[in-house]
Amino acid sequence: MLHHVYAVIMAGGRGERFWPQSRSCRPKQFLQLLGEGTMIEQTVERLKPLLPAEHILVLTNCEYVDTVRMLLPSLPGENIIGEPAARDTAPCAALAAGIVKARGGEDAVMILLPADHVIERANDLVSVLADITDFLERRPEWICTIGVRPTEPATAYGYIRCGELLELAGETRLCRSLGFREKPDFATAEEFLKAGNYRWNCGMFLFRIKAFELELKRQCPELADMLGQICELSRSGKLAEVLPELFCRQKKLSIDYAVMEKAEHMAVAECRFDWDDIGSWTALRNHLTADSDGNVATGLFAEIDSHNLIVSGRPDHLIAAIGVDDLVIVSTSDATLVCHAGQAQRIKELLSSFGLRPELHPFQ
Protein backbone atom coordinates (compact mmCIF):
# COMPACT_ATOMS: atom_id res chain seq x y z
CA MET A 1 0.00 0.00 0.00
CA LEU A 2 1.31 3.42 -1.00
CA HIS A 3 -0.09 5.74 1.64
CA HIS A 4 1.32 8.95 0.12
CA VAL A 5 -0.33 8.24 -3.26
CA TYR A 6 -3.85 9.15 -4.35
CA ALA A 7 -5.68 7.92 -7.45
CA VAL A 8 -8.22 10.14 -9.18
CA ILE A 9 -10.59 8.45 -11.63
CA MET A 10 -12.22 10.71 -14.21
CA ALA A 11 -15.75 9.44 -14.80
CA GLY A 12 -17.69 12.31 -16.30
CA GLY A 13 -17.89 11.32 -19.96
CA ARG A 14 -21.00 10.38 -21.91
CA GLY A 15 -19.63 7.52 -24.01
CA GLU A 16 -21.97 8.25 -26.89
CA ARG A 17 -20.25 5.83 -29.29
CA PHE A 18 -21.76 2.93 -27.34
CA TRP A 19 -25.36 3.93 -28.03
CA PRO A 20 -27.90 2.38 -27.73
CA GLN A 21 -26.50 0.70 -24.60
CA SER A 22 -25.08 3.98 -23.35
CA ARG A 23 -27.52 6.83 -22.65
CA SER A 24 -27.21 10.22 -21.00
CA CYS A 25 -28.27 8.56 -17.72
CA ARG A 26 -26.09 5.47 -18.28
CA PRO A 27 -22.79 6.45 -19.94
CA LYS A 28 -20.02 4.10 -21.01
CA GLN A 29 -18.32 3.88 -17.59
CA PHE A 30 -21.51 2.40 -16.12
CA LEU A 31 -21.80 -0.34 -18.75
CA GLN A 32 -20.73 -3.95 -18.34
CA LEU A 33 -19.19 -4.40 -21.76
CA LEU A 34 -16.55 -7.00 -20.92
CA GLY A 35 -15.85 -9.10 -17.86
CA GLU A 36 -17.38 -8.83 -14.41
CA GLY A 37 -18.79 -5.53 -13.22
CA THR A 38 -19.12 -2.14 -14.86
CA MET A 39 -16.10 -0.40 -16.31
CA ILE A 40 -15.78 1.97 -13.36
CA GLU A 41 -16.01 -0.92 -10.90
CA GLN A 42 -13.24 -2.73 -12.76
CA THR A 43 -11.08 0.42 -12.65
CA VAL A 44 -11.40 0.68 -8.87
CA GLU A 45 -10.74 -3.03 -8.35
CA ARG A 46 -7.47 -2.75 -10.26
CA LEU A 47 -6.26 -0.03 -7.88
CA LYS A 48 -7.14 -1.72 -4.60
CA PRO A 49 -3.89 -3.73 -4.28
CA LEU A 50 -1.96 -0.46 -4.57
CA LEU A 51 -3.94 2.06 -2.52
CA PRO A 52 -6.22 2.19 0.53
CA ALA A 53 -9.85 2.89 -0.40
CA GLU A 54 -9.77 6.32 1.23
CA HIS A 55 -7.08 7.35 -1.28
CA ILE A 56 -9.19 6.55 -4.33
CA LEU A 57 -11.30 9.48 -5.57
CA VAL A 58 -13.82 9.63 -8.40
CA LEU A 59 -14.69 12.86 -10.19
CA THR A 60 -17.89 12.61 -12.17
CA ASN A 61 -20.79 14.63 -13.50
CA CYS A 62 -22.88 15.89 -10.60
CA GLU A 63 -25.83 13.97 -12.08
CA TYR A 64 -23.96 10.68 -11.63
CA VAL A 65 -22.80 11.03 -8.01
CA ASP A 66 -25.54 8.84 -6.53
CA THR A 67 -24.98 6.16 -9.19
CA VAL A 68 -21.23 6.08 -8.54
CA ARG A 69 -21.75 5.83 -4.77
CA MET A 70 -24.13 2.92 -5.32
CA LEU A 71 -21.67 1.12 -7.61
CA LEU A 72 -18.67 1.77 -5.35
CA PRO A 73 -19.82 1.27 -1.74
CA SER A 74 -16.27 0.46 -0.61
CA LEU A 75 -15.18 4.07 -1.24
CA PRO A 76 -15.98 6.82 1.26
CA GLY A 77 -18.96 8.85 0.10
CA GLU A 78 -16.97 12.09 0.27
CA ASN A 79 -14.51 10.63 -2.27
CA ILE A 80 -17.17 10.77 -4.98
CA ILE A 81 -17.08 14.38 -6.18
CA GLY A 82 -19.57 15.87 -8.62
CA GLU A 83 -18.39 18.39 -11.20
CA PRO A 84 -20.97 21.20 -11.48
CA ALA A 85 -20.43 21.48 -15.27
CA ALA A 86 -18.59 19.73 -18.09
CA ARG A 87 -15.25 21.50 -18.46
CA ASP A 88 -13.03 18.73 -19.91
CA THR A 89 -10.04 17.15 -18.21
CA ALA A 90 -7.81 20.12 -17.28
CA PRO A 91 -10.24 21.77 -14.81
CA CYS A 92 -11.12 18.27 -13.59
CA ALA A 93 -7.44 17.57 -12.84
CA ALA A 94 -6.97 20.95 -11.12
CA LEU A 95 -10.03 20.34 -8.94
CA ALA A 96 -8.77 16.90 -7.99
CA ALA A 97 -5.25 18.16 -7.29
CA GLY A 98 -6.63 20.83 -4.96
CA ILE A 99 -8.52 18.19 -2.97
CA VAL A 100 -5.49 15.86 -2.85
CA LYS A 101 -3.26 18.73 -1.74
CA ALA A 102 -5.66 19.48 1.10
CA ARG A 103 -5.53 15.85 2.23
CA GLY A 104 -1.95 14.82 1.51
CA GLY A 105 0.06 18.00 1.02
CA GLU A 106 2.07 19.21 -1.98
CA ASP A 107 4.40 16.18 -1.89
CA ALA A 108 1.56 13.68 -2.38
CA VAL A 109 1.64 11.74 -5.66
CA MET A 110 -1.53 11.78 -7.75
CA ILE A 111 -2.48 9.17 -10.35
CA LEU A 112 -4.95 10.57 -12.87
CA LEU A 113 -6.71 8.01 -15.04
CA PRO A 114 -9.92 7.43 -17.03
CA ALA A 115 -12.76 5.27 -15.74
CA ASP A 116 -13.61 3.48 -18.97
CA HIS A 117 -10.51 1.73 -20.32
CA VAL A 118 -10.03 -2.02 -20.63
CA ILE A 119 -6.86 -3.27 -18.92
CA GLU A 120 -5.84 -6.89 -18.74
CA ARG A 121 -3.03 -8.23 -16.54
CA ALA A 122 -3.95 -5.85 -13.73
CA ASN A 123 -0.96 -6.98 -11.66
CA ASP A 124 1.33 -5.53 -14.33
CA LEU A 125 -0.56 -2.22 -14.17
CA VAL A 126 -0.02 -2.08 -10.40
CA SER A 127 3.69 -2.86 -10.91
CA VAL A 128 4.10 -0.07 -13.48
CA LEU A 129 2.32 2.47 -11.26
CA ALA A 130 4.52 1.50 -8.31
CA ASP A 131 7.68 1.81 -10.45
CA ILE A 132 6.64 5.28 -11.62
CA THR A 133 5.95 6.32 -8.04
CA ASP A 134 9.49 5.23 -7.13
CA PHE A 135 10.81 7.30 -10.04
CA LEU A 136 8.94 10.35 -8.72
CA GLU A 137 10.54 9.86 -5.31
CA ARG A 138 13.93 10.45 -6.94
CA ARG A 139 12.80 13.00 -9.52
CA PRO A 140 9.97 14.98 -7.91
CA GLU A 141 9.91 17.67 -10.62
CA TRP A 142 8.83 15.24 -13.35
CA ILE A 143 5.36 14.46 -14.66
CA CYS A 144 4.91 10.94 -16.03
CA THR A 145 2.55 9.38 -18.50
CA ILE A 146 2.28 5.80 -19.76
CA GLY A 147 2.88 5.11 -23.43
CA VAL A 148 1.53 2.04 -25.20
CA ARG A 149 3.66 0.50 -27.94
CA PRO A 150 1.56 0.66 -31.17
CA THR A 151 0.55 -2.61 -32.77
CA GLU A 152 -1.02 -1.02 -35.85
CA PRO A 153 -1.17 2.41 -37.58
CA ALA A 154 -4.18 3.50 -35.54
CA THR A 155 -5.74 6.90 -36.27
CA ALA A 156 -8.03 6.94 -33.20
CA TYR A 157 -5.26 7.60 -30.66
CA GLY A 158 -2.93 10.47 -29.91
CA TYR A 159 0.79 9.69 -29.97
CA ILE A 160 3.85 10.63 -27.91
CA ARG A 161 7.35 10.73 -29.36
CA CYS A 162 9.93 9.17 -27.03
CA GLY A 163 13.51 10.32 -26.62
CA GLU A 164 16.46 9.07 -24.58
CA LEU A 165 16.14 6.64 -21.69
CA LEU A 166 15.93 8.46 -18.38
CA GLU A 167 15.89 5.51 -16.04
CA LEU A 168 14.96 1.89 -15.57
CA ALA A 169 12.71 2.05 -12.50
CA GLY A 170 12.14 -1.50 -11.32
CA GLU A 171 11.09 -3.24 -14.52
CA THR A 172 9.71 -0.08 -16.16
CA ARG A 173 11.63 1.96 -18.74
CA LEU A 174 11.06 5.72 -18.59
CA CYS A 175 12.07 7.93 -21.52
CA ARG A 176 11.98 11.67 -22.06
CA SER A 177 8.96 12.91 -24.01
CA LEU A 178 9.82 14.73 -27.22
CA GLY A 179 6.28 15.93 -27.73
CA PHE A 180 2.68 14.92 -28.13
CA ARG A 181 1.10 14.37 -31.54
CA GLU A 182 -2.57 14.74 -32.38
CA LYS A 183 -4.58 11.85 -33.81
CA PRO A 184 -2.89 11.37 -37.21
CA ASP A 185 -4.13 10.39 -40.62
CA PHE A 186 -3.35 6.84 -41.76
CA ALA A 187 -0.18 7.70 -43.66
CA THR A 188 1.26 9.59 -40.68
CA ALA A 189 0.29 6.76 -38.32
CA GLU A 190 2.20 4.36 -40.58
CA GLU A 191 5.25 6.62 -40.32
CA PHE A 192 4.95 6.66 -36.53
CA LEU A 193 4.73 2.87 -36.44
CA LYS A 194 7.80 2.45 -38.66
CA ALA A 195 9.82 4.98 -36.63
CA GLY A 196 9.55 2.77 -33.55
CA ASN A 197 9.83 5.52 -30.96
CA TYR A 198 6.20 6.64 -30.88
CA ARG A 199 3.72 5.45 -28.28
CA TRP A 200 -0.04 5.67 -28.00
CA ASN A 201 -1.17 8.19 -25.41
CA CYS A 202 -3.38 6.24 -23.00
CA GLY A 203 -4.37 9.28 -20.94
CA MET A 204 -2.86 8.25 -17.58
CA PHE A 205 -0.64 10.71 -15.68
CA LEU A 206 1.31 10.58 -12.43
CA PHE A 207 2.88 13.55 -10.66
CA ARG A 208 3.59 15.17 -7.35
CA ILE A 209 1.07 17.89 -6.60
CA LYS A 210 3.82 20.50 -6.34
CA ALA A 211 5.15 19.70 -9.83
CA PHE A 212 1.68 19.84 -11.37
CA GLU A 213 0.87 23.10 -9.60
CA LEU A 214 4.10 24.69 -10.88
CA GLU A 215 3.20 23.71 -14.46
CA LEU A 216 -0.28 25.18 -14.03
CA LYS A 217 1.21 28.45 -12.75
CA ARG A 218 3.46 28.56 -15.82
CA GLN A 219 0.86 27.60 -18.42
CA CYS A 220 -2.65 28.05 -16.96
CA PRO A 221 -2.50 30.50 -14.05
CA GLU A 222 -6.29 30.61 -13.75
CA LEU A 223 -6.36 26.86 -13.08
CA ALA A 224 -3.46 27.18 -10.63
CA ASP A 225 -5.46 29.82 -8.81
CA MET A 226 -8.48 27.51 -8.69
CA LEU A 227 -6.33 24.65 -7.36
CA GLY A 228 -5.15 26.84 -4.48
CA GLN A 229 -8.67 27.96 -3.67
CA ILE A 230 -9.96 24.37 -3.82
CA CYS A 231 -7.27 23.32 -1.34
CA GLU A 232 -8.17 26.04 1.15
CA LEU A 233 -11.91 25.48 0.77
CA SER A 234 -11.46 21.73 1.27
CA ARG A 235 -9.50 22.28 4.46
CA SER A 236 -12.13 24.69 5.79
CA GLY A 237 -15.07 22.47 4.86
CA LYS A 238 -16.60 25.14 2.59
CA LEU A 239 -15.90 23.59 -0.81
CA ALA A 240 -19.44 22.42 -1.58
CA GLU A 241 -20.98 25.87 -1.30
CA VAL A 242 -18.39 27.66 -3.46
CA LEU A 243 -17.46 25.01 -6.03
CA PRO A 244 -20.32 25.61 -8.53
CA GLU A 245 -19.44 29.25 -9.14
CA LEU A 246 -15.67 28.63 -9.02
CA PHE A 247 -15.69 25.65 -11.38
CA CYS A 248 -18.25 26.89 -13.90
CA ARG A 249 -16.23 29.96 -14.81
CA GLN A 250 -13.31 27.81 -16.03
CA LYS A 251 -12.74 27.33 -19.75
CA LYS A 252 -13.09 23.91 -21.38
CA LEU A 253 -9.57 22.56 -21.78
CA SER A 254 -8.06 19.10 -22.12
CA ILE A 255 -5.21 18.23 -19.78
CA ASP A 256 -3.02 17.27 -22.75
CA TYR A 257 -3.43 20.62 -24.47
CA ALA A 258 -3.42 22.78 -21.34
CA VAL A 259 -0.42 21.24 -19.55
CA MET A 260 1.14 17.99 -20.70
CA GLU A 261 2.13 18.88 -24.26
CA LYS A 262 4.36 21.73 -23.03
CA ALA A 263 5.47 20.41 -19.63
CA GLU A 264 9.17 21.03 -19.03
CA HIS A 265 9.84 17.64 -17.44
CA MET A 266 7.64 14.98 -19.06
CA ALA A 267 8.57 11.29 -18.92
CA VAL A 268 6.95 8.39 -20.78
CA ALA A 269 6.80 5.04 -18.98
CA GLU A 270 6.72 1.91 -21.10
CA CYS A 271 3.36 0.13 -20.82
CA ARG A 272 3.71 -3.48 -19.60
CA PHE A 273 0.03 -4.41 -19.51
CA ASP A 274 -2.66 -4.98 -22.14
CA TRP A 275 -4.57 -1.73 -22.73
CA ASP A 276 -7.47 -0.63 -24.89
CA ASP A 277 -9.60 2.49 -24.56
CA ILE A 278 -12.38 0.53 -26.34
CA GLY A 279 -13.64 3.64 -28.06
CA SER A 280 -16.34 2.08 -30.23
CA TRP A 281 -18.28 -1.11 -30.84
CA THR A 282 -15.65 -2.33 -33.31
CA ALA A 283 -13.12 -2.60 -30.45
CA LEU A 284 -15.00 -5.64 -29.15
CA ARG A 285 -13.15 -7.64 -31.81
CA ASN A 286 -10.01 -7.30 -29.69
CA HIS A 287 -11.59 -8.91 -26.64
CA LEU A 288 -14.16 -11.50 -27.76
CA THR A 289 -13.46 -14.84 -29.42
CA ALA A 290 -14.65 -14.95 -33.02
CA ASP A 291 -16.42 -17.93 -34.55
CA SER A 292 -15.23 -19.61 -37.76
CA ASP A 293 -16.90 -16.86 -39.83
CA GLY A 294 -15.26 -14.02 -37.92
CA ASN A 295 -18.40 -13.08 -35.96
CA VAL A 296 -18.16 -11.91 -32.33
CA ALA A 297 -21.30 -11.79 -30.23
CA THR A 298 -22.76 -11.44 -26.77
CA GLY A 299 -26.33 -12.52 -26.02
CA LEU A 300 -28.44 -14.88 -28.13
CA PHE A 301 -27.22 -14.94 -31.73
CA ALA A 302 -27.70 -17.14 -34.81
CA GLU A 303 -26.53 -16.66 -38.39
CA ILE A 304 -26.35 -18.22 -41.84
CA ASP A 305 -23.76 -17.16 -44.41
CA SER A 306 -22.82 -14.05 -42.41
CA HIS A 307 -19.28 -12.90 -41.72
CA ASN A 308 -17.36 -10.44 -39.54
CA LEU A 309 -20.38 -9.27 -37.56
CA ILE A 310 -20.13 -7.54 -34.18
CA VAL A 311 -23.27 -8.32 -32.19
CA SER A 312 -24.26 -7.14 -28.72
CA GLY A 313 -27.59 -8.48 -27.60
CA ARG A 314 -29.45 -9.84 -24.60
CA PRO A 315 -29.85 -13.33 -23.11
CA ASP A 316 -33.63 -13.24 -23.66
CA HIS A 317 -33.77 -11.78 -27.18
CA LEU A 318 -32.48 -13.56 -30.29
CA ILE A 319 -30.59 -11.65 -32.96
CA ALA A 320 -30.50 -13.59 -36.25
CA ALA A 321 -28.61 -12.69 -39.42
CA ILE A 322 -28.67 -14.14 -42.93
CA GLY A 323 -26.23 -13.34 -45.72
CA VAL A 324 -24.76 -10.11 -44.31
CA ASP A 325 -21.17 -9.05 -43.67
CA ASP A 326 -19.22 -6.44 -41.71
CA LEU A 327 -22.11 -5.11 -39.62
CA VAL A 328 -22.49 -3.88 -36.05
CA ILE A 329 -25.81 -4.96 -34.53
CA VAL A 330 -26.75 -3.81 -31.03
CA SER A 331 -30.12 -4.50 -29.42
CA THR A 332 -31.58 -3.15 -26.18
CA SER A 333 -35.12 -3.19 -24.81
CA ASP A 334 -36.08 0.04 -26.61
CA ALA A 335 -33.65 0.52 -29.51
CA THR A 336 -31.69 -1.38 -32.15
CA LEU A 337 -28.62 -0.17 -34.00
CA VAL A 338 -27.52 -1.63 -37.35
CA CYS A 339 -24.57 -0.07 -39.13
CA HIS A 340 -21.62 -1.02 -41.29
CA ALA A 341 -18.57 -1.66 -39.12
CA GLY A 342 -16.67 1.01 -41.03
CA GLN A 343 -19.33 3.59 -40.11
CA ALA A 344 -19.49 2.89 -36.35
CA GLN A 345 -17.68 6.15 -35.55
CA ARG A 346 -20.71 8.06 -36.91
CA ILE A 347 -22.97 7.17 -34.00
CA LYS A 348 -22.43 10.61 -32.47
CA GLU A 349 -23.58 12.12 -35.77
CA LEU A 350 -26.72 9.97 -35.60
CA LEU A 351 -27.44 11.10 -32.04
CA SER A 352 -27.11 14.72 -33.09
CA SER A 353 -29.77 14.16 -35.73
CA PHE A 354 -32.20 12.98 -33.04
CA GLY A 355 -32.52 16.57 -31.88
CA LEU A 356 -34.52 17.25 -35.03
CA ARG A 357 -36.96 14.45 -34.23
CA PRO A 358 -38.64 14.89 -30.81
CA GLU A 359 -40.18 11.43 -30.93
CA LEU A 360 -36.66 9.95 -30.59
CA HIS A 361 -35.74 12.01 -27.54
CA PRO A 362 -36.18 9.16 -24.97
CA PHE A 363 -33.38 7.27 -26.74
CA GLN A 364 -30.73 9.92 -26.14
Side-chain angles (χ1 to χ4, degrees), residues 237-258:
K238 297 179 181 178
L239 179 59
E241 57 192 81
V242 181
L243 181 60
E245 190 275 331
L246 182 60
F247 193 80
C248 289
R249 69 173 180 236
Q250 303 303 320
K251 298 177 182 177
K252 288 187 177 183
L253 286 171
S254 75
I255 189 68
D256 289 15
Y257 179 79

Side-chain angles (χ1 to χ4, degrees), residues 120-148:
E120 299 175 8
R121 304 197 337 259
N123 288 342
D124 288 338
L125 167 68
V126 169
S127 177
V128 169
L129 294 177
D131 288 347
I132 297 173
T133 300
D134 289 342
F135 172 84
L136 292 173
E137 290 287 337
R138 295 182 293 277
R139 305 196 187 205
E141 73 278 16
W142 285 78
I143 294 174
C144 298
T145 187
I146 300 174
V148 179

Side-chain angles (χ1 to χ4, degrees), residues 288-347:
L288 298 175
T289 302
D291 65 18
S292 59
D293 292 317
N295 303 308
V296 297
T298 60
L300 286 178
F301 172 63
E303 58 84 18
I304 297 174
D305 294 331
S306 297
H307 307 85
N308 302 316
L309 304 183
I310 299 166
V311 178
S312 178
R314 293 172 285 149
D316 60 346
H317 182 87
L318 175 65
I319 294 176
I322 301 175
V324 292
D325 300 330
D326 299 315
L327 296 181
V328 173
I329 305 172
V330 183
S331 176
T332 68
S333 61
D334 61 0
T336 299
L337 168 72
V338 180
C339 71
H340 192 278
Q343 298 289 312
Q345 295 289 342
R346 299 183 65 191
I347 290 177

